[in-house]
Amino acid sequence: MTQSTLRAAERSLLGDIWTSDTVWPSMLVLCDDCNGRFVGSDDEQRAATFIRESFEKYGLSNPHIEEFSLH
């Protein structure tokens, strides 16, 4: 991959990040609706569910939430 090809790919990706209609609303949900997302809180569960549902909308094949214990 040439440097110019890499730059074009980077511009394309960053442009999508900054111009996408999904980034800002997603950040609002995660930061405002899900508050601090402390481990084990309802806010953490709400954030995990939001992210899993977003991945489903993006067409990922098996988004899921894995639970684990803290020691």
Side-chain angles (χ1 to χ4, degrees):
M1 181 178 284
T2 66
Q3 189 171 1
S4 62
T5 304
L6 187 58
R7 278 194 186 134
E10 181 182 39
R11 239 183 247 119
S12 175
L13 288 171
L14 290 177
D16 287 346
I17 289 169
W18 292 114
T19 61
S20 170
D21 292 337
T22 60
V23 174
W24 186 251
S26 294
M27 291 302 297
L28 289 176
V29 169
L30 293 172
C31 294
D32 293 345
D33 298 347
C34 299
N35 300 311
R37 302 176 307 278
F38 293 106
V39 174
S41 69
D42 290 340
D43 289 331
E44 179 197 32
Q45 184 61 43
R46 193 168 26 261
T49 300
F50 172 77
I51 292 168
R52 180 186 48 78
E53 290 172 351
S54 295
F55 286 173
E56 288 173 351
K57 290 176 190 173
Y58 300 152
L60 297 175
S61 62
N62 185 26
H64 59 279
I65 298 170
E66 292 187 24
E67 295 187 17
F68 57 92
S69 62
L70 299 174
H71 300 280

